[in-house]
Amino acid sequence: MNPLILRVCGRLVLPVALAFSLFLLWRGHNEPGGGFVGGLMAAAGFAIHALPRGRERLLATLRLSPGGIAAVGLLLAVASGLPGLLLGQPFLTHQWALWDSGFVIGTALLFDIGVYLAVLGSVLVFLSHYLDD
């Protein structure tokens, strides 16, 4: 079964879902959203794109294995806690850097990106096992 509407809509939904998921990821530190919700949104976009196309097309679209994406996410999430630990603070105490331009970035963003990738990869692992070719 290969529904035409799902094939056409999948091409349109995937880039919109990915853009919205990145928006949710970026704004999630100070407002509702974040890595978990952003990862679910990205996975939903890939699911709509992959359902009518099959497993091989999903894996070709990703270019990395879903398990590898999840593993990179877990490594980033763990790595975000190390700077605090190295500075003698509890693990996952987030550290912040302030540039002269007023731009502030912290390890919380690294943690959210790790959660984003871990959720995305985990959902896609399940999806890739569900799809048949």
Side-chain angles (χ1 to χ4, degrees):
M1 187 166 134
N2 195 354
L4 177 63
I5 291 176
L6 196 53
R7 287 184 68 82
V8 172
C9 288
R11 271 192 209 118
L12 301 172
V13 167
L14 179 59
V16 173
L18 289 177
F20 187 60
S21 75
L22 292 174
F23 168 74
L24 288 172
L25 171 67
W26 183 254
R27 86 173 223 162
H29 178 68
N30 294 321
E31 296 183 30
F36 186 81
V37 175
L40 285 178
M41 179 58 64
F46 277 112
I48 291 171
H49 186 264
L51 282 174
R53 291 173 177 80
R55 183 177 194 272
E56 292 302 318
R57 185 61 188 247
L58 171 66
L59 297 177
T61 302
L62 292 174
R63 296 191 178 109
L64 293 173
S65 72
I69 293 170
V72 168
L74 286 173
L75 287 174
L76 286 176
V78 169
S80 73
L82 295 178
L85 193 62
L86 294 174
L87 294 172
Q89 298 174 343
F91 183 68
L92 282 178
T93 300
H94 294 295
Q95 305 301 312
W96 301 94
L98 173 65
W99 279 274
D100 292 333
S101 63
F103 182 73
V104 178
I105 193 163
T107 56
L109 179 61
L110 185 63
F111 179 78
D112 276 343
I113 291 171
V115 170
Y116 177 94
L117 292 174
V119 169
L120 173 62
S122 299
V123 172
L124 292 179
V125 164
F126 290 119
L127 179 65
S128 68
H129 289 293
Y130 170 77
L131 295 173
D132 58 349
D133 286 322

